[in-house]
Amino acid sequence: MDRGVGDRAAALGSELKRARLRLGLTLVEAAERMSTRGVLANRTQLSRFEHGEREPKIGLFVDICEAYGCDPTEVLLAALWLAGGPQYRRRRDGSIVHSSRS
């Protein structure tokens, strides 16, 4: 059973944080990276996304993923899986797929 929007926001935030930490960036450094790419996102905003307090609009979400060098689809699927969506599963290679696909 799906746990709800709040859980999905928290899961998405967790995946964004994981992507940022994989690069070894602080929130301030991440915001600076966004700024150099022409993306308006500050430390507070990124923190709110990571803590599930807010959800980024799709365009900003894609911009954040690109700045972190990760695939937005993979981040979103990982977040849905983390949120307990029964329709998703993690493959042995770490990728996330819909349960109806192999």
Side-chain angles (χ1 to χ4, degrees):
M1 185 168 171
D2 190 14
R3 291 189 267 172
V5 174
D7 288 337
R8 289 191 303 263
L12 180 61
S14 177
E15 288 301 311
L16 288 173
K17 182 175 183 174
R18 191 164 70 117
R20 174 180 61 80
L21 293 176
R22 211 176 348 216
L23 293 174
L25 298 174
T26 66
L27 283 168
V28 171
E29 292 167 335
E32 289 170 357
R33 180 179 277 224
M34 303 292 160
S35 178
T36 62
R37 298 171 74 80
V39 178
L40 298 176
N42 61 44
R43 182 201 60 80
T44 301
Q45 189 177 29
L46 294 175
S47 177
R48 287 182 178 151
F49 296 151
E50 289 184 4
H51 288 94
E53 297 168 13
R54 306 258 331 221
E55 290 181 302
K57 292 187 178 185
I58 189 68
L60 181 54
F61 169 71
V62 171
D63 288 340
I64 292 169
C65 289
E66 287 176 354
Y68 292 169
C70 55
D71 180 357
T73 303
E74 285 294 318
V75 172
L76 185 57
L77 287 174
L80 289 170
W81 177 79
L82 187 63
Q87 66 273 32
Y88 299 95
R89 64 181 177 80
R90 189 177 293 272
R91 288 182 176 167
R92 287 184 187 165
D93 66 4
S95 62
I96 308 296
V97 294
H98 194 276
S99 294
S100 66
R101 298 184 185 153
S102 38

